[in-house]
């Protein structure tokens, strides 16, 4: 699970932002229909006689000041009948998400996180907390997966990354009362992590801790490629650490297949839809585009 913390920050379930701050998306390399070059994040579309569905890859947390919203994206977004994100993002849903994440990410009463660790793991963990300026008991009540994500996110927050500047937040701020939809539920997304057994959670946490110093530099690289619209290079960076097929399938491939099914079904209804999901789901082998191609559905790159 060498890519644990990076994948958690770049393709992990968006619902985890409600518990701690962060996330985007990415993976391997694929070909889609004509891909005009041009600076700015990539945008694709699927269309038939009476339906247009835009596919836009997002970064769930960004530093302030990155300029990415351009006329092409604006035209697609404002001209669509609805916007669809990974999970519901209205204020009520976000409040419920936060409560759900806290309840799913908390250990049973009487159990502490440090009690689950070997002496060596405990020493490494406490040293990482000290480096962050946190006391040893800071996350004692949380499950390993929640702690691993949180400790990966803290260095990003210290470097100016924030969900408030994340792509979904910006898009939703521009659509007014346009109808909103979602591809998944918060319960499903949180379950991807909470469903890991305890040894896997601890492995995830320890590798996230060991990689804390590398997370921000690598995410910086990924954001730079995303902003340039280089989906293949974005995928290549992600692949540097992707070593666990089971986790990759849970976080990426099975979800991509489900979303392709959703898009296929939505093409039966007339209208225009703007889908915004983590950028890694739209780059690489077994991407959403790949699964659509298997269904004989053409995906064209708009920019």
């Amino acid at each position: 699970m060498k890519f644990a913390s990076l994948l958690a920050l770049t393709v992990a379930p968006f619902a985890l932002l409600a518990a701690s701050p962060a996330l985007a998306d990415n993976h391997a390399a694929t070909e889609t229909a004509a891909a005009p070059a041009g600076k700015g994040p990539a945008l694709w579309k699927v269309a038939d006689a009476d339906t247009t569905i835009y596919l836009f890859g997002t970064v769930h947390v960004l530093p302030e000041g990155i300029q990415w919203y351009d006329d092409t994206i604006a035209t697609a977004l404002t001209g669509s009948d609805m916007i669809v994100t990974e999970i519901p993002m209205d204020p009520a849903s976000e409040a419920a998400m936060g409560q759900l994440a806290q309840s799913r990410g908390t250990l049973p009463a009487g159990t502490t996180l440090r009690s689950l660790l070997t002496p060596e793991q405990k020493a490494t963990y406490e040293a990482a907390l000290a480096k962050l300026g946190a006391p040893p008991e800071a996350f004692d009540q949380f499950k390993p997966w929640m702690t691993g994500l949180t400790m990966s996110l803290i260095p990003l927050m210290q470097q100016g990354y924030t969900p408030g500047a994340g792509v979904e937040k910006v898009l939703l701020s521009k659509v007014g009362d346009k109808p909103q939809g979602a591809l998944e539920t918060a319960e499903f997304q949180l379950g991807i992590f909470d469903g890991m057994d305890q040894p896997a959670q601890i492995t995830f946490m320890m590798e996230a801790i060991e990689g804390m110093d590398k997370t921000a530099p690598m995410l910086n690289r990924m954001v730079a490629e995303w902003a340039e619209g280089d989906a293949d290079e974005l995928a290549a960076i992600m692949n540097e650490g992707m070593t666990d097929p089971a986790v990759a399938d849970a976080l990426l491939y099975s979800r991509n297949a489900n979303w392709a099914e959703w898009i296929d079904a939505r093409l039966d209804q007339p209208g225009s839809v703007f889908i915004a999901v983590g950028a890694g789901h739209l780059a690489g082998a077994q991407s959403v585009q790949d699964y659509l191609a298997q269904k004989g559905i053409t995906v064209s790159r708009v920019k």
Side-chain angles (χ1 to χ4, degrees):
M1 235 187 271
K2 292 295 184 186
F3 71 116
S5 62
L6 180 62
L7 190 59
L9 297 174
T10 55
V11 299
F14 189 77
L16 294 170
L17 282 168
S20 23
L23 332 187
D25 288 315
N26 190 52
H27 58 292
T30 187
E31 293 184 5
T32 57
K39 193 171 183 178
L43 176 68
W44 290 266
K45 75 173 180 179
V46 176
D48 61 17
D50 59 1
T51 307
T52 298
I53 299 176
Y54 292 99
L55 304 174
F56 184 60
T58 70
V59 181
H60 300 324
V61 290
L62 281 175
E64 297 284 352
I66 293 182
Q67 300 300 317
W68 56 266
Y69 189 76
D70 60 20
D71 289 343
T72 303
I73 297 168
T75 298
L77 178 64
T78 59
S80 294
D81 303 323
M82 68 182 301
I83 180 171
V84 174
T85 50
E86 293 182 22
I87 56 175
M89 294 186 64
D90 59 277
S93 295
E94 290 195 322
M97 263 191 287
Q99 295 175 355
L100 179 65
Q102 290 294 325
S103 64
R104 294 286 290 269
T106 300
L107 287 165
T111 302
T112 66
L113 173 60
R114 285 181 294 162
S115 74
L116 306 178
L117 307 179
T118 65
E120 182 180 354
Q121 289 171 335
K122 182 178 176 183
T124 300
Y125 170 68
E126 290 183 347
L129 285 174
K131 187 175 181 179
L132 294 173
E137 68 276 9
F139 302 115
D140 266 358
Q141 74 271 35
F142 292 121
K143 293 179 181 178
W145 66 263
M146 176 72 86
T147 301
L149 285 168
T150 302
M151 293 183 70
S152 297
L153 298 173
I154 291 172
L156 292 178
M157 301 303 107
Q158 292 174 339
Q159 296 220 6
Y161 280 85
T162 169
V167 172
E168 286 87 352
K169 293 289 189 181
V170 173
L171 294 173
L172 290 169
S173 73
K174 297 180 180 296
V175 298
D177 59 358
K178 190 184 294 288
Q180 299 180 26
L183 298 170
E184 296 174 342
T185 65
E187 288 87 347
F188 171 82
Q189 289 200 347
L190 290 169
I192 295 174
F193 276 83
D194 198 38
M196 292 192 292
D197 62 28
Q198 185 171 290
Q201 288 190 35
I202 291 173
T203 299
F204 176 94
M205 184 187 79
M206 296 309 300
E207 291 183 348
I209 289 169
E210 291 163 5
M212 279 196 308
D213 291 342
K214 300 176 182 178
T215 301
M218 188 166 281
L219 191 55
N220 288 341
R221 289 172 60 200
M222 293 182 66
V223 168
E225 299 302 339
W226 170 81
E228 287 291 329
D230 193 337
D232 288 343
E233 184 58 28
L234 187 66
I237 295 171
M238 193 64 206
N239 280 344
E240 291 175 12
M242 191 176 294
T243 60
D244 190 320
V247 178
D249 183 72
L251 288 179
L252 282 169
Y253 309 139
S254 65
R255 298 170 70 203
N256 292 348
N258 290 339
W259 296 354
E261 292 284 352
W262 188 98
I263 292 166
D264 187 14
R266 184 60 183 78
L267 283 169
D268 293 335
Q269 305 175 43
S272 182
V273 179
F274 190 99
I275 297 178
V277 297
H281 294 283
L282 306 179
Q286 300 183 69
S287 62
V288 173
Q289 297 98 311
D290 277 357
Y291 285 108
L292 288 170
Q294 291 174 20
K295 296 176 176 296
I297 298 172
T298 300
V299 182
S300 302
R301 186 161 173 181
V302 177
K303 70 179 289 288

